[in-house]
């Protein structure tokens, strides 16, 4: 409820209820197994799931944004660019394991929050919303390229278990 109250939604020429920010919901799971490895020896497994709804990229000309909406759109684009830079660096690292690649996680709050999910001990799934309308061709193509770069990231996830 608190997050919904703090969420900003505003109308643009492209979307009457445009979300003006990204949303990240993190769910942490802990499984505790009592006496798993003998009397008094417990086992604990932890998992974290991030559900992320990224605000769409903004083209000021298409959205007709001015004032605060224009500033919000610029901030959205900047964070999407920073996330794209991280995804590109991780894909490069996956495609060329011997190459020393700096991953710029610290360049935005979003990439700092998602660091474990993107390049850590994680399985990551990306679902993209696309438009079949020819007027949105550039945005759709950009989204597909973004997803293709994310698909190139190779993480090896292992079970986190404390004995």
């Amino acid at each position: 409820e608190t997050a919904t109250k703090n969420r900003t939604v505003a109308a643009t020429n492209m979307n009457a209820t445009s979300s003006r920010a990204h949303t990240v919901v993190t769910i942490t799971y802990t499984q505790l197994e009592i006496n798993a490895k003998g009397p008094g020896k417990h086992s604990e497994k932890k998992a974290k799931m991030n559900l992320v709804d990224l605000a769409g990229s903004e083209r000021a000309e298409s959205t007709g944004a001015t004032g605060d909406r224009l500033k919000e759109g610029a901030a959205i684009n900047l964070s999407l660019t920073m996330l794209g830079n991280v995804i590109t660096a991780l894909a490069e690292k996956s495609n060329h394991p011997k190459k020393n690649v700096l991953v710029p996680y610290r360049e935005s709050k979003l990439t700092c929050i998602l660091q474990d999910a993107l390049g850590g001990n994680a399985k990551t799934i990306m679902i993209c919303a696309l438009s079949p309308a020819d007027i949105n061709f550039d945005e759709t193509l950009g989204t597909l390229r973004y997803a293709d770069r994310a698909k190139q990231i190779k993480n090896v996830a292992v079970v986190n278990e404390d004995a």
Side-chain angles (χ1 to χ4, degrees):
E1 189 176 316
T2 303
T4 302
K5 287 179 187 174
N6 290 330
R7 184 171 176 254
T8 303
V9 176
T12 68
N13 289 349
M14 292 183 74
N15 187 345
T17 57
S18 178
S19 175
R20 309 308 299 158
H22 307 305
T23 304
V24 179
V25 176
T26 302
I27 302 168
T28 304
Y29 300 93
T30 303
Q31 178 184 11
L32 181 64
E33 203 173 330
I34 308 296
N35 298 325
K37 297 180 180 180
K41 295 183 180 179
H42 309 309
S43 174
E44 185 177 82
K45 294 179 188 176
K46 291 185 179 183
K48 187 165 71 169
M49 182 168 54
N50 294 303
L51 303 173
V52 182
D53 179 16
L54 297 173
S57 63
E58 297 280 321
R59 291 181 188 240
E61 185 180 305
S62 301
T63 62
T66 59
D68 286 344
R69 301 292 87 80
L70 186 60
K71 289 178 187 174
E72 291 164 353
I76 289 167
N77 288 345
L78 181 61
S79 69
L80 288 172
T81 299
M82 296 301 113
L83 179 59
N85 291 344
V86 167
I87 288 171
T88 298
L90 289 169
E92 180 73 15
K93 202 173 181 178
S94 292
N95 292 333
H96 306 285
K98 294 182 181 186
K99 189 174 180 182
N100 189 14
V101 178
L102 175 67
V103 183
Y105 290 115
R106 292 180 156 186
E107 290 187 12
S108 83
K109 290 179 185 176
L110 179 65
T111 54
C112 283
I113 290 169
L114 297 177
Q115 182 173 352
D116 290 341
L118 292 168
N121 182 22
K123 293 283 187 182
T124 302
I125 298 170
M126 179 182 275
I127 300 171
C128 300
L130 304 172
S131 172
D134 59 354
I135 195 168
N136 296 324
F137 176 78
D138 290 336
E139 285 83 1
T140 299
L141 185 59
T143 300
L144 290 171
R145 286 185 176 143
Y146 208 85
D148 183 61
R149 281 184 292 171
K151 189 173 80 171
Q152 294 174 29
I153 299 170
K154 305 290 184 244
N155 289 341
V156 179
V158 296
V159 174
N160 297 325
E161 189 170 2
D162 294 333

